Amino acid sequence: MKKIHLIAGIIITVFVALHLFNHSLSILSVNTHIEFMHKLRLVYRNPVGELVLLLAVITQIITGIKIFLVNRKTAKHFYSRLQNWTGLYLSFFLLVHISAVFTGRLVLDLDTNFYFGAAGLNTFPLNLFFVPYYGIAILSFFGHISAIHYSKMKNPILGISVENQSKFILVLGVSFTILLLYGLTDKFQGVEIPIEYKIIP
């Protein structure tokens, strides 16, 4: 089960890394973000790419929850617990996020682009949910990678211990979280969110 979880995790990690990089481009401009998104969609929005990604996510959620239930009482080290709890949150996030994206696409007939995510982050009181919802998800992604790195790596790199490497990944995650949330706020560039994306006027 752990091997299946790992394979699905690698597929998702590649997508999420590109997805987060895509979001970081919003710091440059919304148009830059959307233009790069359209290029990525040639891969993950075609039928084969989307099916592979969905199967990987479903597999990751099912195996991840099973692994969490097995390991939750035996995980004693900080990084073991970090891997367990960040994995559980990511399972929750993936389930909710993908459901929301498909609802936006198929029910609300919206292009689930920059504005789809930014609308919730910039609408009170929805942002009371969406800021921590997205923020913890990004932190959990980096936290999960940090924990796996700690468990798999054996040797220092350039004299940097494995533990310090993992700490660096965590710090990078905090920095990236702040950057992405900042880039998705309408106050940053004076971005006007189209009315169709505003659930609450």
Side-chain angles (χ1 to χ4, degrees):
M1 183 171 65
K2 287 186 177 180
K3 287 183 179 179
I4 295 172
H5 186 75
L6 177 62
I7 293 169
I10 291 171
I11 295 171
I12 294 170
T13 298
V14 171
F15 168 75
V16 172
L18 289 170
H19 192 61
L20 291 179
F21 174 73
N22 190 180
H23 278 309
S24 72
L25 293 178
S26 62
I27 291 291
L28 300 177
S29 73
V30 175
N31 286 338
T32 302
H33 172 283
I34 291 177
E35 285 173 10
F36 188 72
M37 179 197 69
H38 285 310
K39 293 176 182 177
L40 288 181
R41 282 183 174 180
L42 295 175
V43 178
Y44 71 82
R45 279 285 181 94
N46 75 68
V48 175
E50 194 163 57
L51 178 61
V52 169
L53 188 58
L54 281 174
L55 288 175
V57 168
I58 293 169
T59 301
Q60 190 77 350
I61 291 172
I62 294 172
T63 57
I65 291 173
K66 288 182 178 180
I67 291 171
F68 170 82
L69 293 173
V70 170
N71 293 344
R72 60 178 176 161
K73 293 182 179 179
T74 58
K76 302 298 182 183
H77 192 275
F78 169 75
Y79 285 103
S80 298
R81 294 196 298 270
L82 181 67
Q83 185 173 348
N84 258 15
W85 289 102
T86 54
L88 183 65
Y89 185 81
L90 287 172
S91 294
F92 159 76
F93 178 82
L94 287 171
L95 184 62
V96 175
H97 193 60
I98 289 177
S99 298
V101 168
F102 276 103
T103 299
R105 283 169 57 184
L106 304 177
V107 178
L108 302 177
D109 196 28
L110 292 173
D111 182 357
T112 53
N113 56 22
F114 169 90
Y115 299 109
F116 187 73
L121 285 168
N122 294 282
T123 305
F124 182 83
L126 295 180
N127 52 6
L128 297 178
F129 168 77
F130 281 106
V131 170
Y133 165 76
Y134 282 117
I136 296 172
I138 301 167
L139 288 173
S140 292
F141 174 71
F142 280 93
H144 207 64
I145 291 174
S146 172
I148 293 169
H149 182 84
Y150 182 84
S151 67
K152 300 294 184 184
M153 285 294 291
K154 303 301 179 186
N155 301 310
I157 297 176
L158 299 176
I160 303 172
S161 68
V162 173
E163 185 168 4
N164 283 337
Q165 292 170 34
S166 294
K167 287 179 180 177
F168 173 77
I169 295 171
L170 288 176
V171 171
L172 184 64
V174 172
S175 303
F176 214 71
T177 300
I178 295 170
L179 176 73
L180 291 187
L181 291 179
Y182 189 54
L184 284 166
T185 57
D186 55 7
K187 301 294 186 297
F188 174 62
Q189 301 180 73
V191 174
E192 181 64 32
I193 297 173
I195 190 65
E196 60 267 26
Y197 290 92
K198 295 182 179 180
I199 300 174
I200 297 178

